[in-house]
Amino acid sequence: MLPLRRRQRRRGGLGVPGAVVLLACAAACALAEWAPAGRASALSAYFGTKSRYEDVARLGPGLSAGPPPGPCAPLQLVALVRHGTRYPTAKQVRRLRALQGLLLRAGPPGPGLAGALARWPLAYEDWMDGQLVEKGHRDMQRLAARLAARFPALLTPRGLARVRFVSSSKPRCVDSAEAFARGLWAHLHPGRPVPEPADMEFGPPNIDDKLMRFFDHCEKFLAEVEKNDSALYQVEAFKNGPEMQKIIKKVAGILQVPTSDLNADLIQVAFFSCSFDLAIRDIQSPWCNVFDTEDAKVLEYLNDLKQYWKRGYGYAINSRSSCGLLQNIFQHLDRAVEQRQRSQPISTPAIFHFGHAETLLPLLSLMGYFKDKEPLTAYNYREQMSRQFRSGHIVPYASNLIFVLYHCEHAETPARQYQVQLLLNEEPLPFVYSPETFAVYQELKDHYGDILQGCHSDQECVLPNINITSDEL
């Protein structure tokens, strides 16, 4: 039998401390009048990686392109999916608690916004630590149902045994994979009780951290970026720059606390408090009323700077460390092409990988997407207002990158029989070398040939040896 906390988390519940949280939520709802209708939605475009999927993805009929022209049928779907909506991490909860303590030390709550913020209950606890929430389960179930409806030839009741699931070991990813499996099974077996994922045809997800958390296994990335204090120099410089200092002074005035008691990290977690309450509990908290859209743009840029320098184009190793994942995707596609050429059934018509924003962003950077002409720095905020690299529009909760391989009859040449389409958050993604949304598979392989043939993640991630001779000592 599963431990109590684990069983409750699988149901999307709150666990033993949940009663306290529910009481806090009730009080929060009573205070929600401090956030006028529509204010949170105005800020939602700037929440970065804490963005809700539905605020970013264009969901609805008639928005997405179908198969390529001519008699073409999908052969295989290879998907990378970020986990669904989650709780704050323990680190974020500690900062939220510090912010609440700062307000309470300022004195008894009075009238106005500052008083409402002081009375606003902290509904998150350390044990939640990034776990998937009820909304996150729904994110995955609905995505599964939409993909099953869109690709009925690949996702069929009889073909479920050949569908594969791969996941990061993090509970929010494993739970996302299981919620997706439930949604897929329910869509394909309407009206029937949904079994546990372990009892479904495709079984539980395969845990593969080397594939889905490649950044944890890359010594060069860990040494030069993750554990290097100077790697995020641009982020720290922006925290101390005029744009952030202006917001710190403004918020200090609203909270009625000394400016010296605040810093950029506390301001950012206050902004995220608005996003957490909106995404997790669908509540527009008074924290949403502290910031206007100009503040939100600055705070979004702060988040994007971190993602750019730690996961994107800031350092080559960020993306190069993901080449094993790109190679793995093309290996699946290659196998499907070979099986079709031999008139064999496709062994795995759909493969779903569940990971993190940190899984998707490096891969998209490796593929050349969302690259601006100039790098994002602490000093070109105004010049980057129209930047392509906006992490919230690329990797919100439940974001997904999907490779769809098609076989087209009566093609002009054998190579043109195999076409591929990329979908980002369920929308066609043009290729970096072409504005088209379909490409000949071999041409796509040729474009990434140097990476597919010449990038070896084990070698990319080796730290260079530094030999010091006795003459240099």
Side-chain angles (χ1 to χ4, degrees):
M1 192 173 186
L2 290 169
L4 178 62
R5 176 65 53 77
R6 175 67 173 161
R7 294 204 313 275
Q8 288 166 327
R9 180 166 52 78
R10 284 195 177 213
R11 298 189 193 109
L14 294 176
V16 175
V20 176
V21 176
L22 288 175
L23 288 173
C25 290
C29 291
L31 288 169
E33 63 183 8
W34 275 100
R39 172 60 65 89
S41 61
L43 301 183
S44 295
Y46 308 102
F47 286 144
T49 54
K50 310 298 187 294
S51 298
R52 299 185 299 184
Y53 188 70
E54 58 269 29
D55 289 333
V56 174
R58 296 192 304 152
L59 304 179
L63 291 174
S64 300
C72 299
L75 280 185
Q76 189 181 59
L77 181 156
V78 184
L80 299 175
V81 184
R82 185 192 177 193
H83 58 77
T85 307
R86 63 163 174 81
Y87 283 117
T89 62
K91 180 178 180 180
Q92 291 164 337
V93 171
R94 288 193 292 271
R95 286 178 175 170
L96 287 167
R97 192 177 295 119
L99 189 63
Q100 184 186 51
L102 181 64
L103 285 166
L104 294 176
R105 287 194 301 272
L113 180 56
L117 292 168
R119 289 189 293 271
W120 189 254
L122 179 60
Y124 310 110
E125 302 178 34
D126 290 346
W127 65 263
M128 295 174 176
D129 195 22
Q131 292 183 26
L132 199 69
V133 301
E134 181 69 29
K135 169 66 161 53
H137 287 262
R138 295 197 301 272
D139 290 338
M140 294 293 104
Q141 290 165 358
R142 291 169 179 171
L143 176 61
R146 289 194 300 272
L147 292 180
R150 184 168 181 172
F151 298 102
L154 297 179
L155 300 168
T156 67
R158 294 184 62 182
L160 282 182
R162 293 182 292 136
V163 174
R164 295 289 177 263
F165 291 85
V166 181
S167 176
S168 151
S169 63
K170 291 292 184 180
R172 57 184 171 270
C173 295
V174 175
D175 288 351
S176 290
E178 293 181 353
F180 187 98
R182 287 190 177 93
L184 181 59
W185 200 96
H187 180 87
L188 296 175
H189 300 88
R192 293 175 58 183
V194 181
E196 286 295 311
D199 298 325
M200 295 177 186
E201 296 90 329
F202 33 65
N206 176 44
I207 305 302
D208 190 341
D209 274 347
K210 190 170 183 181
L211 191 65
M212 303 312 297
R213 293 183 61 84
F214 49 81
F215 41 88
D216 282 344
H217 297 266
C218 185
E219 291 184 3
K220 187 175 182 180
F221 169 78
L222 293 173
E224 295 184 356
V225 182
E226 179 71 33
K227 299 178 181 179
N228 181 2
D229 292 339
S230 65
L232 297 183
Y233 164 81
Q234 298 293 339
V235 179
E236 295 304 315
F238 190 72
K239 287 180 179 179
N240 295 302
E243 294 89 357
M244 280 302 303
Q245 293 304 308
K246 180 180 177 181
I247 297 177
I248 289 174
K249 291 177 182 177
K250 170 187 169 178
V251 175
I254 292 173
L255 304 187
Q256 300 175 15
V257 300
T259 303
S260 58
D261 285 352
L262 292 175
N263 57 40
D265 291 335
L266 286 177
I267 295 296
Q268 193 170 38
V269 83
F271 184 59
F272 285 154
S273 183
C274 171
S275 74
F276 289 137
D277 287 338
L278 182 67
I280 297 170
R281 299 187 288 156
D282 200 24
I283 293 174
Q284 297 184 34
S285 82
W287 284 109
C288 301
N289 219 29
V290 172
F291 305 97
D292 58 29
T293 54
E294 290 304 312
D295 302 328
K297 290 175 183 178
V298 172
L299 291 163
E300 179 197 27
Y301 190 72
L302 175 60
N303 187 35
D304 286 350
L305 268 179
K306 180 180 178 181
Q307 299 301 328
Y308 182 90
W309 288 96
K310 195 171 183 179
R311 306 295 176 183
Y313 290 103
Y315 301 100
I317 190 58
N318 297 348
S319 60
R320 296 292 287 184
S321 61
S322 73
C323 68
L325 178 56
L326 186 67
Q327 291 164 341
N328 181 269
I329 292 168
F330 276 88
Q331 286 167 7
H332 286 299
L333 299 171
D334 280 345
R335 191 175 302 116
V337 169
E338 292 170 6
Q339 290 171 340
R340 181 63 181 79
Q341 289 173 335
R342 296 173 183 174
S343 300
Q344 298 173 344
I346 307 303
S347 55
T348 50
I351 306 101
F352 296 98
H353 304 79
F354 295 85
H356 309 264
E358 297 89 343
T359 310
L360 279 165
L361 274 178
L363 181 68
L364 286 163
S365 298
L366 183 69
M367 295 176 70
Y369 283 102
F370 309 108
K371 185 174 185 178
D372 295 286
K373 292 181 179 180
E374 298 295 330
L376 276 62
T377 74
Y379 312 104
N380 63 357
Y381 164 68
R382 291 294 172 189
E383 291 80 2
Q384 295 286 14
M385 294 294 284
S386 299
R387 66 189 178 278
Q388 295 185 58
F389 194 91
R390 295 185 65 190
S391 59
H393 290 223
I394 306 168
V395 286
Y397 293 126
S399 54
N400 48 87
L401 175 65
I402 303 174
F403 293 70
V404 188
L405 179 68
Y406 289 89
H407 178 259
C408 301
E409 296 284 355
H410 313 305
E412 297 173 0
T413 64
R416 298 188 71 84
Q417 290 182 21
Y418 299 95
Q419 304 274 332
V420 66
Q421 181 184 43
L422 300 183
L423 304 174
L424 180 63
N425 301 328
E426 301 174 70
E427 281 295 301
L429 182 66
F431 299 95
V432 293
Y433 60 89
S434 165
E436 302 297 325
T437 56
F438 290 98
V440 174
Y441 177 57
Q442 186 59 50
E443 292 177 1
L444 182 67
K445 281 184 64 177
D446 291 343
H447 179 77
Y448 293 113
D450 289 345
I451 297 172
L452 297 177
Q453 298 169 19
C455 181
H456 304 283
S457 55
D458 290 343
Q459 297 176 14
E460 297 284 341
C461 289
V462 172
L463 280 171
N465 291 323
I466 302 176
N467 296 318
I468 302 177
T469 65
S470 58
D471 293 338
E472 295 173 312
L473 297 177

